[in-house]
Each structure stands twice: as C-alpha cells, then as structure tokens.
Amino acid sequence: VYYSPQLAITTSALATASLSVDKTQLVLTAEGIPAGSLILSIEALNNEWPVVTVYNSAGLPMYPFVHVLAPAPPMPPPAASRPRWCMRDDAAQCAGPLMLPASDVVVCGSGYKLASKAELGAPPSNATDGWKLEAVNVRVSTMSAGAQAVGVVYTSAADGGSPDSLVAATPMVTVPARLNGWLRLPMASPVPVSSGVYWVGWLLEEDQGCYGLRSGHDSYATNTWPVPTARWGEASHGPFEIDAFATVLPVESVVAKTAIPEYI
C-alpha cells in the first residue's frame, strides 16, 4: 500500500502489517480472509486523502478491494477525446481513443459491478425516435477463463457523481481464455435510450483483469451474481476509470406512405 505519511493506520486481528525502511510502503499479510472482512483502516490526517493502491502477492493491483470511505471527488466533464457512446458500425471511434494513452491492468473483483461515466449526445436528424442501446464493450485481460460477465448501463444520479437506476443489462457472456482486448456484451434486443448522462460497465462472476486509466474516476458497488440490482446501491469511487463503452443504433422513423390509385 503506497500512502502519504500523514495517516493513522490500524489493522484488524485478521492481518499483520509492517512498514518498509523508508516508510513509504505498508506490507500487509493476510490469508484466508472471509469476503467482506475489514482488515485495514486508514485515516487521513490534516484532511489530506491519499491515493491508495493494494497489490497482491503476484504484484497485480487489487481493485476494487479497497473501499475508500471519503467524499467522492468532483466529476470532471467527459473528455471529448475518450468517447463512450458510439454507433455500432463505428465502434472503433470509441475503442481506439480509450486505448490511448496506454491503460493499466488491475484486478476487477468478483461480486462487484464497475462503471465509467458516459455522456450520450443527440441522435442524428433522421433518427427522430432517438437511440437504441445494442451492446456494452469492456476491455479485458482474462484471469478467469470460462467465467461469465453481464454488461450494465445505469442512469446518473442528480449530482452526476454516481450511478443511479438500471437502464439495461445484457445476458451473461462467457469470458474467453487468453482474451487481451475488447469483450462485447450484446443486449438481448436493442433498448431505447435518450440523450443524457449514463454509467457504462459490467458485473463479474469471477475476478478478471480490467484495463483503464489511473487518472480517471469510476464507480463500483457490491452486487450478488448474476442479477444487477435495480438501483446502484452504496457507491464507492476509485482513482481508476475502466475502459468501457456502449454502442447504439439510430432509430429511423417510418413514414406511412399512402398508395396512389391507378387510373385507366
């Protein structure tokens, strides 16, 4: 755990901890811990909240196993260079920018849903009936081959800082072995959506590697597998933003045509 020196740190009886010589790292040892157990408490002093990253014994970041009990930082406006809604036939316009700059891989935990904020603009003028959501796409590095995942889209809370209500969820999709790229999670059938702010992400059956930016800001919450809850629930936020986007189809209105009678 990397942290600022201005912290008060307490471990539970389930774990032991020691400081490195330079006092910049806390080495935490814990095995066989039941899910949901509190093993480490970090209290920021002088109102200075640190960025905390936990690594497992294999050297991979563990996420979102750190629950930061701190006010959520203000959400930055969506970056135009990293769009998160794209037309199905133009998915590369989302996938490409999300891969630049280079993303990190962290462990996204089972029994969690994770999402990044996404703003959907107005549909084209010929799509007077709006948009239809057709798939969620998440960039994955397989850890648990054969395990399943569900794509989710939630509305945004009034303050814009957290997800709120479930808009749509995909059927379960199996994560293939050795995937190191985009996993497409299609809707059972397209779902009508209007322009606005949403949160796009997924719910996991087992741990998987997630790509994303450490300079970003996402939201995560516990959720029993496999059905996403109607409301997001207690939101936690991490200094990480998973690479995820949604694809849509424009809904073109059908204008009724009146047959012109033939005259002889």
Side-chain angles (χ1 to χ4, degrees):
V1 180
Y2 293 89
Y3 67 96
S4 157
Q6 301 299 311
L7 300 172
I9 299 175
T10 306
T11 59
S12 76
L14 299 174
T16 58
S18 60
L19 283 174
S20 61
V21 175
D22 60 4
K23 297 185 178 181
T24 62
Q25 298 182 52
L26 178 69
V27 180
L28 185 69
T29 302
E31 294 182 0
I33 303 300
S37 299
L38 176 65
I39 60 173
L40 178 67
S41 173
I42 301 178
E43 178 184 358
L45 305 179
N46 302 324
N47 203 31
E48 296 179 359
W49 286 97
V51 173
V52 180
T53 304
V54 175
Y55 296 85
N56 63 15
S57 57
L60 292 173
M62 300 291 287
Y63 180 84
F65 297 112
V66 179
H67 186 109
V68 180
L69 298 177
M75 284 294 298
S81 60
R82 290 173 61 83
R84 293 187 179 274
W85 288 90
C86 283
M87 298 277 286
R88 181 183 62 184
D89 295 339
D90 297 322
Q93 294 185 9
C94 280
L98 284 172
M99 297 169 71
L100 297 171
S103 300
D104 292 321
V105 179
V106 299
V107 179
C108 287
S110 61
Y112 281 87
K113 54 191 174 188
L114 309 92
S116 291
K117 195 175 184 181
E119 185 170 355
L120 176 62
S125 58
N126 67 330
T128 54
D129 289 337
W131 296 110
K132 278 197 173 182
L133 168 66
E134 66 96 25
V136 170
N137 304 266
V138 182
R139 195 172 171 213
V140 181
S141 178
T142 301
M143 289 182 61
S144 304
Q148 296 184 308
V150 170
V152 296
V153 175
Y154 280 79
T155 61
S156 186
D159 62 4
S162 300
D164 188 13
S165 299
L166 182 67
V167 174
T170 72
M172 292 181 285
V173 173
T174 300
V175 180
R178 296 181 294 278
L179 175 62
N180 189 29
W182 291 100
L183 176 68
R184 174 177 159 82
L185 302 108
M187 296 289 159
S189 59
V191 178
V193 289
S194 57
S195 58
V197 179
Y198 298 87
W199 291 75
V200 176
W202 64 344
L203 169 65
L204 299 172
E205 179 186 18
E206 300 292 344
D207 295 354
Q208 300 292 350
C210 293
Y211 279 91
L213 286 183
R214 293 188 183 278
S215 59
H217 175 97
D218 71 356
S219 183
Y220 59 90
T222 57
N223 194 128
T224 302
W225 175 262
V227 180
T229 56
R231 300 295 296 272
W232 185 258
E234 182 180 354
S236 298
H237 300 273
F240 191 77
E241 184 176 73
I242 63 170
D243 289 348
F245 68 92
T247 46
V248 292
L249 299 169
V251 182
E252 297 184 8
S253 296
V254 178
V255 179
K257 297 181 179 180
T258 303
I260 301 175
E262 293 184 3
Y263 291 90
I264 299 177

